[in-house]
Amino acid sequence: MELQDILFIFCALVSLAGTVILLSQRNAVYALLGLLLAFLGSAGIFQALDAPFVAVSQVLIYAGALAVLFLFVLMFTDTRTSEDRKGLPRAVGSRANFDPAEFDAQTKKKRRKEGELPSALQAALDSIVLPKPLALVVALGFLLCFSFAIFKLPAQYDEFGPLPENYATGLYLPADEGAAPGTPATERVVEYGTTEAVSFTIFEGFPLAFEFVSLLIFAAVLGAVLLARRHLAPTPKAPEAGASAGHGAGHAGH
Amino acid sequence: MLAMLDPKTVLFLAAVLFSAGLYGVLSRSNLIMVLMSLELMLNAVNIALVAFSRHWAGQGNSVLGAHSGQFFTLMVMAVAAAEVGIGLAIIVAVYRRRNTADSEAASELRH
Amino acid sequence: MEKVFQNWQLLLWVVPLAPLLGFVLNGLFGKRMSAPSSGGIASAAVVISFISALTLFIYHMVNNGGDVYAHSAFTWMDVGGFKINFGLYLDRLSALYMLIITGVGSLIHIYSIGYMSHDEGYARYFAYLNLFVFSMLMLVLGDSLVTLFLGWEGVGLCSYLLIGFWYKHLNNTSAGMKAFIANRVGDFGFMVGMFLIFYHFGSLSYAGDAGLISSMKQTVAAGQVDTSLLNWACICLFIGATGKSAQIPLFVWLPDAMAGPTPVSALIHAATMVTAGIYMMARMNFVFVHAELAMTIVAVIGGATALFAGLIALVQRDIKKVLAYSTVSQLGFMFMAAGLGQFHLAVFHVFTHAFFKALLFLGSGSVIHSLEHTLGHGNADSQDMWKMGGLKKKMPITCYTMFIGALALAGVPGLAGFFSKDAILYAAFHRGDGLGWVIYALGVAAAICTAFYSARLIGLTFFGKWRGDEHAYAHADESPRSMAMPLMILALAAIGAGYLLLPPAFGVHHPPFQTWLAPIWADGQAALAEGSKLRIPVEHTAADIMAEWVNIAISVSIAVGMFVFAFFIYSRPGNLDKVGKLAFKPAAEGEKPRMTFAYRLLLNKFYVDELYDMLIVKPTRIASDVLFVIVDVIVIDLVLVNGSAMIVKLSSDVGRKMQTGVVRHYLYAFAVGALVLSALFLLISNK
């Protein structure tokens, strides 16, 4: 067993563990930590597959930027949802008009009715989400399909072939200054998976796609700003707006 | 000893992660959790793409052919970043209006 | 630039395009322009067109020997074996028509500046008028039957628009619709005719290697003329002509068309558009000469129309209606000539008729215009000749020019109408067979009517005593100079135009008009059998000339005699009562006088409108009522429209239950669908 195999097995296990945490934890921050684990594990898998640049990008973008963004929004919002409402009276509010304060009050009432604070086991059970059978069936169905397809792959997929030492790029380095005239220019070569190789691929092979993706991200940034900003239009200075303030901040923009 | 690091194993791992992500998307009702599970699915695809990239590099492809899988991984990352930005913005907007990030809260588009 | 000078004949494009530009300018910006500038632009456009036409005529047609000049701008359509270019075709016939249209058109545009000066739809009027001139020029100058048809429909449209110009009165709009529908019937015939021509010759262009003229020549040379097919084609084309040129049975629209402004009646419904049928026949003469049956039908219909309309014109009280029926009658004369194969006479009558009928219409417009000042616009009294009289003192220019026009119309020797009409009568006289005599009899009877009603018109309007509203008479005045000047120019033309085709009896064996147009008929004449009755006579024997003198004597005595007779009756106030006795049965005291049968028949225009109403309009209406209930209400509304709506509603009532609005449910649907598809794909690809 080689070093890469060990790295792969370890990272795969980390990923799977992260995934289990993500899926099972009721608390969104724990779930996010599970996702982070899965991302870091994937980064290790990329490294094991000789793709260091992608691995680093993975850490930077997914584990760094995206996870922080998620965390940010989690802090913004109340994560209690209808799936936490089991056993509560319907009066807690329709799904479309959720009232967190009422929710908490009802939860406390329920606990009091049960007479005692939950045990440690009870608390642990409370903190995880129970599996949903239908979703499980669909997901397993997909897994079955994939496994079947992978099983049917031809023999060339049985193992990874050896990597070439390097790749010719067709680009030439300028000759050294001190070199005698007539010395042939040396061709630039790249190794598999390095930053050089990937950037060569981007700018020689797919520059247009690259530019389009930058446009896409630009549009996404604009869209996100537009969607998430508070409505800055001046509130109509009618006093009755205060009277009906219970309807929430969303009304401010009208 | 059986070498673990072969294409089929990696692809299978990707399939497992993808299915797990799908399960998450389908089962969770908190929109943020749905979005996280979606990221997990995209990540699984990335693993598959890198595995194919490594596979074709081992089959003696040119530099562009060997790296296009990695290139598309980067594209997926970029798209995922854009998607998360937009998705979270939408969730924030929904939350402002509904006081909850429950996916069933935003169900005006029904019959 | 040099190249443009080399191809200076491209000036031809200016002729139709200048009015089109005028139309665009007036149509788009007319509302923002002052009335004089709008009329000025429109008139300038037609005058430019006229000057270009005249330049081309002088430099190309006269100085350069009058070769055919064709220029194709672009391929209009190219479908399978059917290819039509959009191009212009200038030969002697189209040059002549082009001059008539732009010349008379210019005068009428100038006249309209004064006539329409108080109308609010001024710019609209001039836009339509310019569009008409454009369409008419396309009709005449087009290089194929398709381009001709384009213009043919265009003038029909403009005619409709201008008849219903004062659209606030229901009568005017329904007159417009009547014209349009009658023309549609004719257009259908025309299109069928075109299809048959295309079927026979494989082309619709006149010139060119594959054009109609050369393929006709080849067909004749090969002896493969399909006479029955050509007969049908020509009859269909003539049906088109009966619509456009107001012949029996489709003439009913033209008298109603007088609802439009009077200059329009002069330009469209007298001088130009209604002669399009003649133009088409003359243009297609090389086909028509092979269709003897069609020609006979044309001649008989023409003769019948001439007499029929002439009789109706005898009793009309509305000054414009008289002229309208007179136009129908004169068009009958033209078709008579064309049907006898004497196309040059038909075209010549178009030529002279354009002048004197435009003159008469513009003169009547001048009278109406001056009376409308006091009587108010749209008052029927301003057109009722029984409420006129003695206007000579008030409007001398109008009176004398119209007098000249009436003399020309009546066929008094020395004026244009005499030469053209007499030549047509002589052609029938000369023919010498049964058809010739029938046509001749019809023509002479129509000529009697013509002389009578033209004298009646003048006598009632300008002579005798004023019989209408005193106030209106006191304020009646000569029209402004912009209206009087065209009258005088047209009067000069009505006198002089006839001298272009003097009869052989006067010693002129090769009159310029006939020589000028001879190349147009050359192909058709060459294909005719020796001694054919349709042949245009070239040589005249002494006996012919003798016969012609006899004919001239007859027609002169008719024209002068009837004109003097009718003028005597109608210009003296006392005589009107005697006329009344002819029209009305003697009635007892206190009883309403009853009309005599003949008078009632004529006054009601032989009940043709009523006949059509009974035979066509009413059955159509009943059928459409029935169809409305069965097809529209039951089949379409109930079954198709509401039924399909019901099905959609029922199925969507079921389907919309699936739209829960919950994102997760859609996700499930999506995921299960994707799963099923990928499973299927795997199953199939692993076989």
Side-chain angles (χ1 to χ4, degrees), chain A:
Chain A
M1 209 191 272
E2 288 175 35
L3 188 65
Q4 283 193 324
D5 281 333
I6 296 167
L7 180 61
F8 170 70
I9 293 168
F10 176 71
C11 290
L13 289 177
V14 168
S15 275
L16 288 173
T19 306
V20 169
I21 294 174
L22 168 69
L23 295 181
S24 64
Q25 281 300 314
R26 188 186 295 273
N27 188 322
V29 180
Y30 292 163
L32 181 61
L33 290 177
L35 182 66
L36 200 57
L37 266 187
F39 283 161
L40 290 173
S42 306
I45 293 171
F46 294 156
Q47 177 61 52
L49 288 169
D50 301 306
F53 180 72
V54 179
V56 170
S57 306
Q58 170 86 2
V59 173
L60 282 178
I61 296 175
Y62 273 113
L66 283 191
V68 170
L69 193 59
F70 270 113
L71 200 61
F72 217 56
V73 175
L74 278 179
M75 296 298 131
F76 258 125
T77 59
D78 191 314
T79 54
R80 286 163 293 195
T81 63
S82 59
E83 73 194 22
D84 307 322
R85 247 184 297 161
K86 248 170 226 155
L88 294 181
R90 287 179 68 90
V92 173
S94 70
R95 286 166 168 179
N97 243 333
F98 187 72
D99 185 355
E102 178 71 13
F103 176 81
D104 285 344
Q106 292 283 345
T107 314
K108 264 182 200 157
K109 210 189 269 176
K110 180 183 159 206
R111 290 278 149 86
R112 229 174 282 142
K113 212 182 268 175
E114 282 161 3
E116 54 182 310
L117 286 171
S119 68
L121 179 65
Q122 183 72 39
L125 272 179
D126 270 357
S127 72
I128 63 164
V129 190
L130 295 176
K132 295 244 170 117
L134 189 57
L136 206 56
V137 167
V138 174
L140 287 178
F142 264 96
L143 188 56
L144 194 70
C145 269
F146 286 137
S147 316
F148 185 64
I150 291 166
F151 178 70
K152 282 282 182 182
L153 281 175
Q156 61 168 179
Y157 287 94
D158 279 345
E159 58 183 308
F160 288 119
L163 283 178
E165 203 155 287
N166 50 40
Y167 292 93
T169 57
L171 301 177
Y172 289 88
L173 292 170
D176 290 338
E177 260 180 46
T183 315
T186 44
E187 189 178 359
R188 188 70 185 252
V189 294
V190 291
E191 273 178 62
Y192 175 77
T194 56
T195 311
E196 268 183 322
V198 175
S199 51
F200 181 79
T201 309
I202 292 175
F203 295 112
E204 280 294 309
F206 309 97
L208 194 65
F210 182 74
E211 292 301 329
F212 273 118
V213 160
S214 64
L215 262 184
L216 180 82
I217 291 182
F218 178 60
V221 168
L222 287 185
V225 169
L226 211 66
L227 279 167
R229 73 170 174 173
R230 279 183 197 284
H231 295 280
L232 296 175
T235 327
K237 49 190 178 292
E240 64 265 24
S244 64
H247 280 293
H251 280 282
H254 286 274

Side-chain angles (χ1 to χ4, degrees), chain C residues 270-502:
Chain C
T272 52
M273 183 189 86
V274 290
T275 62
I278 301 291
Y279 172 78
M280 186 270 296
M281 276 190 73
R283 175 57 75 211
M284 302 302 291
N285 72 82
F286 55 92
V287 179
F288 271 90
V289 290
H290 294 282
E292 241 173 287
L293 176 66
M295 292 291 265
T296 309
I297 291 174
V298 172
V300 172
I301 296 263
T305 310
L307 177 59
F308 193 76
L311 283 172
I312 298 175
L314 289 179
V315 300
Q316 296 299 313
R317 293 175 58 152
D318 184 326
I319 186 167
K320 283 181 76 180
K321 283 274 163 75
V322 175
L323 291 173
Y325 280 107
S326 157
T327 304
V328 177
S329 175
Q330 298 304 311
L331 288 165
F333 272 102
M334 297 169 202
F335 279 101
M336 225 193 269
L340 292 172
Q342 312 301 309
F343 295 103
H344 65 296
L345 296 180
V347 174
F348 186 55
H349 200 48
V350 168
F351 180 64
T352 58
H353 177 256
F355 296 123
F356 61 70
K357 191 48 71 61
L359 168 61
L360 284 170
F361 263 117
L362 293 187
S364 75
S366 171
V367 170
I368 295 166
H369 186 69
S370 96
L371 295 184
E372 268 181 351
H373 263 307
T374 8
L375 292 174
H377 173 74
N379 190 333
D381 280 0
S382 64
Q383 304 191 11
D384 188 346
M385 294 193 297
W386 287 99
K387 306 249 168 86
M388 297 180 193
L391 281 173
K392 184 179 83 157
K393 285 172 216 130
K394 292 284 184 181
M395 326 179 61
I397 298 177
T398 310
C399 170
Y400 289 125
T401 50
M402 268 188 93
F403 205 107
I404 291 170
L407 286 176
L409 175 61
V412 170
L415 289 117
F418 165 73
F419 295 108
S420 53
K421 201 188 299 171
D422 184 65
I424 294 172
L425 287 176
Y426 171 68
F429 188 80
H430 178 75
R431 193 178 159 105
D433 58 357
L435 177 67
W437 291 118
V438 170
I439 300 292
Y440 186 70
L442 287 171
V444 168
I448 293 172
C449 297
T450 309
F452 191 89
Y453 63 66
S454 39
R456 173 175 175 266
L457 184 142
I458 297 295
L460 282 176
T461 311
F462 293 106
F463 295 88
K465 265 196 203 138
W466 176 256
R467 295 173 295 273
D469 181 40
E470 282 306 324
H471 191 57
Y473 185 69
H475 285 82
D477 203 3
E478 185 59 82
S479 297
R481 193 176 301 161
S482 73
M483 291 167 68
M485 192 194 64
L487 287 179
M488 293 188 275
I489 295 174
L490 286 171
L492 285 180
I495 298 171
Y499 292 93
L500 289 173
L501 197 141
L502 290 173

